[in-house]
Amino acid sequence: MIYNRIALLRTERSISRQELAEKVGVNYQTIGFIERADYSPSLELAFKIASFFDVELTTVFSDKPFPSIFSK
């Protein structure tokens, strides 16, 4: 499974799935599938998404769950 922070990054920057999809060249439903971990993006698409957000690939995607952003 590939974990991601796409929804968090989109929310933080007020970007819709549709906007992100248009910028990286996929259908908006694909972004939803990736966010819900129903689909793993190709390496090319993963790099496009990270580039769009201007962050490192590992900021967006991981093979391990990301730590919670909420304090316990």
Side-chain angles (χ1 to χ4, degrees), residues 5-70:
R5 289 182 168 151
I6 297 172
L8 177 68
L9 290 165
R10 282 192 317 95
T11 301
E12 193 176 81
R13 298 169 191 208
S14 300
I15 296 167
S16 70
R17 284 181 180 165
Q18 183 68 41
E19 290 174 286
L20 177 58
E22 288 172 4
K23 296 294 185 181
V24 298
V26 297
N27 185 291
Y28 78 94
Q29 292 173 317
T30 302
I31 300 300
F33 291 143
I34 295 169
E35 286 181 353
R36 293 187 303 275
D38 292 337
Y39 172 79
S40 293
S42 67
L43 187 55
E44 179 182 9
L45 179 55
F47 274 110
K48 284 181 181 180
I49 292 169
S51 179
F52 173 80
F53 288 116
D54 194 28
V55 296
E56 296 293 324
L57 186 65
T58 55
T59 300
V60 185
F61 297 99
S62 176
D63 62 346
K64 295 175 183 64
F66 287 102
S68 175
I69 59 170
F70 302 104

